[in-house]
Amino acid sequence: MKRSGGYRLLAVVLVLCLTLGGGALAAPAGATIWGYSEGLAQCELNGKWGYVNGKKEVVIPLQYDSIVSFSLGVAAVNLGGKLGVIRQDGAYLLQPEYDTLMPIDCGLYIAQKGGGWGVVSILPYTDGRGNVTNVIYDLTYDSVTVEEQGGTRVLTLKDGEGAVTRVPVFDLPALLVRKGVPSAQFPLTRGKLPSFSDVSQKDWYALWVDVAYNVGLVSGVGNNRFNPNGTITVAEAIQLAATIESRYRDDSFHTSTQTGPNWYTGAVNYCIASGVIRSGQFSQSDYTRPITRLEMAQIFAATSPVKDMPTLNTASRVRSSIPDVKSGSTGAESVYALYEKGILSGVDSSLTFNPTGTMTRAEAAALAARIARAEQRIALWGSYDSAQLVK
């Protein structure tokens, strides 16, 4: 696949920011730009802040009183004295309605409104009473802090009557799983970012490498390199799919040592047993060759997290919009599923899929990041609405 095609396929910054008013405009004269992180830089003019891309085009309007750099695809912003959290197309994950927001882990923030403190999530869930909410702990506490206790970080909530609730931070992922918060099986960890020498913070794929690395789905190739333009083999794709499947199911495959005649034998057997691939779908000679984009789609569309995740994009519109995937053709339903669920967007503005092309490591990181983290999925038409992520 050509580098430019990969850019349009997976660069959510480009694809989504074009929906913010018809296209990105050059930063205005006199604006100050600095601090590139995950493809976007802070931009300021006359005390108002926003974000620009690598071409110095404004992709998130200069409307905020203050901002921070993007990290793991999200950034806190101050609008009119109230704090919120946005993703890289400017859509709010947390509305600007808080007096204080302090990140913890797992996409959670300590939040304050007026005199009340609590904990909120960037991803909503159903509260069991038919309501969709981002609140994990109600904003009714007198204080919420993270403290070190015996070498363990502990979330500590104190109410007005002196009662104290303590939750080890390492228990938060399990708590989110029990509540049914999307992506809880792939929690974000503060401070865990790669520093690969061949990934620049101006690169379109920096975000995806950061997220996929942070949640433990990709790693480097040695010598502090990621090799973003290297191609993914069939075996590597199956190993990645097996890890995602096992993490989502919370079984032991991803934590156990695999044995067999080849390093990928365990992953192949696991994916066959899990229904991700069929026995005989690939011959022994296939595993070391580059995987095609159609084969990649077929594998990952068959994983449990993709099958379970809600649809973001209208099925009928997806099916009528992809010019090189015809209904009824081999693998078409897998491709449609990845577009419908916000995992893929095509190699160009026409949503072309390019089924026979290969996939780079950077593109595979983007695919994995979007499967793992619901807040990174793509709304192809219209605005992103996190409520659509709730089952």
Side-chain angles (χ1 to χ4, degrees), residues 63-94:
Q63 62 182 339
Y64 298 106
D65 299 313
S66 62
I67 59 178
V68 300
S69 295
F70 274 91
S71 179
L72 299 177
V74 301
V77 296
N78 181 330
L79 182 66
K82 297 296 183 179
L83 302 178
V85 174
I86 61 173
R87 58 183 223 151
Q88 289 205 339
D89 61 346
Y92 283 105
L93 296 170
L94 292 172

Side-chain angles (χ1 to χ4, degrees), residues 3 17 40 58 64 85 95 100 154 174 194 199 207 232 257 263-264 273 330-331 349 382:
R3 172 69 175 80
C17 287
L40 296 185
V58 176
Y64 298 106
V85 174
Q95 292 293 323
T100 302
V154 178
V199 178
L207 162 63
I232 291 290
T257 301
W263 64 266
Y264 51 82
T330 299
S349 59

Side-chain angles (χ1 to χ4, degrees), residues 294 318-336 339 351-355:
L294 181 60
V318 165
R319 291 164 185 265
S320 64
S321 297
I322 306 174
D324 57 345
V325 176
K326 303 303 179 185
S327 180
S329 62
T330 299
E333 293 302 317
S334 297
V335 176
Y336 293 150
Y339 277 72
L351 305 184
T352 304
F353 176 62
N354 185 23

Side-chain angles (χ1 to χ4, degrees), residues 18-67:
L18 291 177
T19 70
L20 295 178
L25 300 176
T32 302
I33 299 171
W34 71 88
Y36 273 95
S37 178
E38 299 180 342
L40 296 185
Q42 299 180 38
C43 181
E44 182 268 340
L45 181 66
N46 298 326
K48 293 298 181 181
W49 297 77
Y51 297 87
V52 298
N53 61 19
K55 298 179 180 179
K56 297 183 178 180
E57 298 167 329
V58 176
V59 292
I60 299 178
L62 280 62
Q63 62 182 339
Y64 298 106
D65 299 313
S66 62
I67 59 178

